[in-house]
Amino acid sequence: KKNNFKEMRISGSQLGEFKNQSILLVGELESSNGNQCFLKATDGVKVECHLNNQLPALDVAMDESANIYEFDGFVDDSGILQVNHVVQLHGDAHGFNLENYHRLLEFIHHPSLQFA
């Protein structure tokens, strides 16, 4: 049986491997214009995202720690994340660390990696 956690939580560079699948993507909101926004994933990859029409538009905050989000959505054929649900996380000042989260993703998808 496959591990759903592994299948769903990905980094930006893995987006192409998950076309036509539901995923969870965590990153920093870089820009937003209506229902289109760009999220800088934990591996630094810039991901184009389209928010479901039922979701409110997002604004980039001056406080970078307030720009950390988890997007739940579907990767379409062109590699754009069609977002159905958004959770605002709290950045380093509040305990959420994007670098540590990315290391966790690497371990989940490549369990043979060794970390110092």
Side-chain angles (χ1 to χ4, degrees):
K1 183 177 178 182
K2 289 186 177 181
N3 181 339
N4 287 335
F5 184 75
K6 177 180 176 182
E7 290 172 352
M8 292 180 56
R9 294 184 181 275
I10 67 168
S11 62
S13 60
Q14 294 174 299
L15 215 59
E17 301 169 38
F18 288 84
K19 286 185 180 177
N20 299 310
Q21 295 183 52
S22 294
I23 59 110
L24 292 171
L25 184 69
V26 171
E28 181 179 347
L29 184 66
E30 285 201 328
S31 64
S32 180
N33 183 9
N35 72 338
Q36 179 188 36
C37 61
F38 288 90
L39 193 72
K40 181 177 161 187
T42 58
D43 57 356
V45 173
K46 190 174 185 176
V47 177
E48 182 176 352
C49 305
H50 291 176
L51 302 177
N52 176 309
N53 289 332
Q54 305 301 315
L55 296 172
L58 301 174
D59 292 318
V60 177
M62 294 294 285
D63 176 6
E64 289 183 8
S65 68
N67 291 323
I68 309 299
Y69 288 90
E70 178 180 70
F71 284 1
D72 181 351
F74 183 82
V75 183
D76 69 15
D77 286 330
S78 57
I80 296 171
L81 181 58
Q82 302 295 329
V83 181
N84 295 315
H85 188 254
V86 174
V87 176
Q88 185 176 18
L89 305 173
H90 294 285
D92 290 346
H94 302 286
F96 191 90
N97 183 294
L98 288 174
E99 184 178 326
N100 288 343
Y101 183 85
H102 183 68
R103 290 182 68 182
L104 173 67
L105 288 179
E106 288 178 331
F107 180 72
I108 289 169
H109 290 278
H110 306 284
S112 61
L113 289 177
Q114 297 291 317
F115 294 101

